[in-house]
Amino acid sequence: MVKTYLKMAFRGFKSDRLFSAINVAGLSVGLAIIILLALYIANERSFDGMYAKKERIHRVLVETDGDFGYGTWATAPPVLAATMRKEVINVETAARMLKHDFGSSANIRANEQNFTENDLFWVDMELFDIFDIPFLKGNPQTALTEPNTIALSEATSRKYFGSVDPMGKTLLVDNNNELTVTGVFADFPPNSSINANMLASSNGTWFYENEAWSNASFETFCLLKDKVSKKTTIAQMGKMLDAHTPKEEQWYSLSLQPLGDVHLYSSDYGNSYAAHIGDAGEVRTMAVLALVVLLIAAMNYINLTTAKSLKRSKEVGVNKTLGASRKSLLARFYVEAATITGVSVVLGAVLAILFLPIFQSLVGRVISFGTTEIMPFMVGVGLLWLAIALVAGAYPAFYLSRFAPRAALSNANNSAANVVLRKGLVVMQFAVSVILLVGVLTIYLQTKYIQDKKLGFTPDNVVAVSVNGIRDKATKTALAQEIEKMAAISAVGYSQGFPGRDVSGRSLRKKPTDEHGLNIKTNVAESSIVEVLDLKLLAGTSLPKNKMATDTTMQVVLNKKAVDYLGLLPEEAVGKEVFIGVPQTVVGVVEDFNYESLHQPIGAYAFHNAASESKGYLLAKFKGNEESEVLAMLKGKFGQVVPYLDFNYSLLDQNLAKLYEREKRTGQTTMLFCLLAIFVATLGLLGLSAYMAEQRRKEIGIRKVLGASVPRIAQMLTKDFARLIIVALVIGFPAAYFLADTWLQGFAYRIELNWWVFALSGITILAVAISTVSFQSIKAAVTNPVKSLRTE
């Protein structure tokens, strides 16, 4: 019987190729989108699932008042891990991870060659008790017990030593620390939040013995004992903090984040060292988009099938007259739905596989399949096919099979309910389409606003060169002098950091006796920093040049946000003494500038010349647009002065652009899939308008015989659809405004939702719909009326 139904289904496809092609095309494109989005969502939710103790692993979070722009930090005080191991009963063990130089790249010298390493971490050996990291060489329990030891990933070992066994070999880090290789571990999988290339022993380093509770730069993981409560553990951590820090000095509280939440729920946290930071909101957006596409594709199928019911009703009537039961008709229509969706699933899967590389580049993730994932994927595709066949085929099957033979044969089935359903589905499809289009325009405009916004400084034509490996002042001076001689260079100077690169955090106090102050970012810099960054001086001067080594006074240049906190005008602040840990004299005030992502409001910022931190970057501002030539010359000069270091640089404008990579990826991905969703909806409208024109072909023939023009007939056929699209716009605009405005709330600086965004979206949707319907309307209007009026 099923074989017979299949034959009848294929005959039906052949007899109505337009219907079949539109249904298969719409479902195939829709299913390809759904499969790709499902792969992305599954990959995002798979992070950190490879660790055996994942249910007991937590990251320590520091909760602040948000004065730095972030209410939650992913890093904690250096003394915390050791204290937790001793004093928090619920904790089995704890370990710290510190990205080299608080997030900077490391200069590595191996085999007489220079390298730049972006993922060197200094860690406690207890890390291997928390995370089961497989070692290919060496023993994880002993690899980092001794000072000046290091373990390499398999890929890093090959990069530095080729096929030679690295065990016992030495690496020179920043021309300062000589480390012995004591282990090689398997590369971290791409869906691990920890993605280190090098794990070095913290034993014997300056921060290992640091017992400060005021600093928070160390990512700290703890392993809870079996069957203990996260809530009670946090309470125990609070008591531990009270025992070591007076209440009046506590500018933060401690909490715990399960390892399974680290990837998706850290996008709003500061100081995270995670290799890939996801966004639960983005995953939800993709899930909603997948559901929307699925609904649009299913609505297309239902719409076209119910529109075709006038033709199919006679077939049902004949079958019922000849004795066919409703059960057999249900089976037949479900087989037909399963066949169409089955072909569509196969084509959709093929399209998804073909476009997977492009999709991966859009989302910035590697989505790969191993042998263990193939079977779940196949099962998932099979279940998707079953679900779509059941959902998409339900209404047509039950609707068509319920006709009484007499009603079916007399065309009485074209009920008001049928018409209302079709119109309702069209309205729903295009209401969703306009919401998607408004969303795409909003993301595009916000991204462009971020790119074009005046930041208060000029990041263009500024390059930052890492100089952490230069140990002596004479070499730094010689390098700066050589670069300053270049005709293309307009300003040169050293600094601790730069906008887009995190610097130190302290408290700004009006008086040294004040218990509380304003959180402020501090950046050790030279006098040229104002010129290099093109900062606007509101009062005073930049930091003094050529400060004598015997001069113990400290000067500071504040931004306006800091001066406002002091209750002073810029001119009044110059010459005043402020307290940022130690007394410092204000020599200048600059206009506020965006030193972080535009997700965060501008906070207090200070450039100073204290010797508290090293100046790890040389900033050079160059003229013109010959970027590649300037970089080549800089590399040559650097190699002449510092032949033992790799030339490691970043361009400030590109570095800032990385802060918005997630928004850019989301915008590109959403735009592509929204346009495809609109395409699927338009395909359905094309098929529906074709059937409506066919249904009224005799009416069209009579009107033409009576003298109606082609434009008049096309207008008659188009206006009903135009009304439906207008209703869809009226429904879609409020929902689009709410969703777009909610998304924009995530930015401290954002665009206003202007009326023209909605007008342009509405006009675009209306134009696409009218063009689609007009094509079929004109085609029907120019048909020879003799053919239209001919007896069937």
Side-chain angles (χ1 to χ4, degrees), residues 305-323:
T305 307
T306 52
K308 192 184 174 187
S309 61
L310 179 63
K311 186 181 292 185
R312 299 294 301 273
S313 63
K314 293 185 178 181
E315 177 188 340
V316 170
V318 170
N319 279 299
K320 282 200 167 186
T321 302
L322 296 175

Side-chain angles (χ1 to χ4, degrees), residues 618-693:
L618 182 145
L619 302 183
K621 190 174 187 65
F622 57 91
K623 307 169 189 175
N625 298 315
E626 301 302 324
E627 183 180 288
S628 57
E629 293 181 14
V630 172
L631 291 174
M633 289 188 290
L634 281 173
K635 184 177 182 179
K637 293 287 186 183
F638 189 88
Q640 291 173 15
V641 181
V642 199
Y644 50 85
L645 294 180
D646 191 38
F647 180 66
N648 177 27
Y649 73 93
S650 62
L651 293 163
L652 258 64
D653 54 352
Q654 294 180 8
N655 193 65
L656 289 169
K658 291 178 182 178
L659 299 176
Y660 309 104
E661 281 184 348
R662 190 173 71 240
E663 286 77 17
K664 186 178 179 181
R665 289 198 308 267
T666 302
Q668 291 174 337
T669 307
T670 306
M671 182 179 296
L672 174 62
F673 289 139
C674 284
L675 293 176
L676 288 173
I678 293 170
F679 168 74
V680 172
T682 304
L683 271 182
L685 191 61
L686 177 65
L688 189 60
S689 59
Y691 273 103
M692 294 303 99

Side-chain angles (χ1 to χ4, degrees), residues 755-766:
W755 64 269
W756 65 264
V757 172
F758 298 90
L760 179 61
S761 301
I763 292 169
T764 302
I765 292 293
L766 191 60

Side-chain angles (χ1 to χ4, degrees), residues 2 12 14 45 50-51 73 103 125 128 144 200 247 275 414 426 457 472 480 532 605 717 721:
V2 174
K14 289 177 67 177
R45 297 187 66 84
M50 71 289 298
Y51 299 112
W73 293 5
M125 58 185 178
F128 301 122
L144 302 184
K247 279 286 187 182
N414 196 23
V426 170
F457 72 101
D472 60 293
V532 171
Y605 200 94
L717 294 173
F721 285 101

Side-chain angles (χ1 to χ4, degrees), residues 559-778:
N559 71 341
K560 191 172 182 300
K561 182 77 172 181
V563 171
D564 290 342
Y565 167 74
L566 297 173
L568 301 171
L569 295 174
E571 296 79 7
E572 296 172 337
V574 176
K576 293 287 194 299
E577 188 176 61
V578 295
F579 301 87
I580 307 176
V582 294
Q584 300 187 39
T585 303
V586 178
V587 295
V589 178
V590 295
E591 184 61 87
D592 288 337
F593 61 99
N594 291 94
Y595 53 85
E596 286 186 306
S597 160
L598 293 181
H599 285 281
Q600 311 302 325
I602 294 175
Y605 200 94
F607 297 100
H608 66 106
N609 57 9
S612 51
E613 290 93 2
S614 63
K615 295 187 280 288
Y617 293 93
L618 182 145
L619 302 183
K621 190 174 187 65
F622 57 91
K623 307 169 189 175
N625 298 315
E626 301 302 324
E627 183 180 288
S628 57
E629 293 181 14
V630 172
L631 291 174
M633 289 188 290
L634 281 173
K635 184 177 182 179
K637 293 287 186 183
F638 189 88
Q640 291 173 15
V641 181
V642 199
Y644 50 85
L645 294 180
D646 191 38
F647 180 66
N648 177 27
Y649 73 93
S650 62
L651 293 163
L652 258 64
D653 54 352
Q654 294 180 8
N655 193 65
L656 289 169
K658 291 178 182 178
L659 299 176
Y660 309 104
E661 281 184 348
R662 190 173 71 240
E663 286 77 17
K664 186 178 179 181
R665 289 198 308 267
T666 302
Q668 291 174 337
T669 307
T670 306
M671 182 179 296
L672 174 62
F673 289 139
C674 284
L675 293 176
L676 288 173
I678 293 170
F679 168 74
V680 172
T682 304
L683 271 182
L685 191 61
L686 177 65
L688 189 60
S689 59
Y691 273 103
M692 294 303 99
E694 182 183 350
Q695 190 177 22
R696 301 179 68 177
R697 68 186 185 281
K698 290 190 176 182
E699 176 189 348
I700 294 169
I702 293 170
R703 288 179 180 274
K704 287 197 72 175
V705 170
L706 295 177
S709 64
V710 171
R712 178 62 181 165
I713 293 172
Q715 179 186 5
M716 175 193 72
L717 294 173
T718 303
K719 66 180 181 180
D720 288 340
F721 285 101
R723 291 191 187 111
L724 296 179
I725 303 304
I726 291 171
V727 172
L729 298 181
V730 172
I731 294 172
F733 281 155
Y737 179 86
F738 172 77
L739 294 173
D741 186 64
T742 301
W743 182 77
L744 288 172
Q745 296 303 317
F747 294 86
Y749 304 92
R750 52 186 176 268
I751 61 169
E752 294 294 331
L753 280 173
N754 291 315
W755 64 269
W756 65 264
V757 172
F758 298 90
L760 179 61
S761 301
I763 292 169
T764 302
I765 292 293
L766 191 60
V768 170
I770 296 302
S771 299
T772 303
V773 175
S774 297
F775 171 76
Q776 289 297 337
S777 300
I778 294 171

Side-chain angles (χ1 to χ4, degrees), residues 10 67 125 145 206 245 277 286 325 342 376 416 481 506 524 755 769 785:
F10 280 110
D67 281 347
M125 58 185 178
T145 54
W206 65 267
T245 308
I277 299 177
M286 297 300 179
S325 65
Q481 289 174 348
R506 291 183 167 85
V524 180
W755 64 269

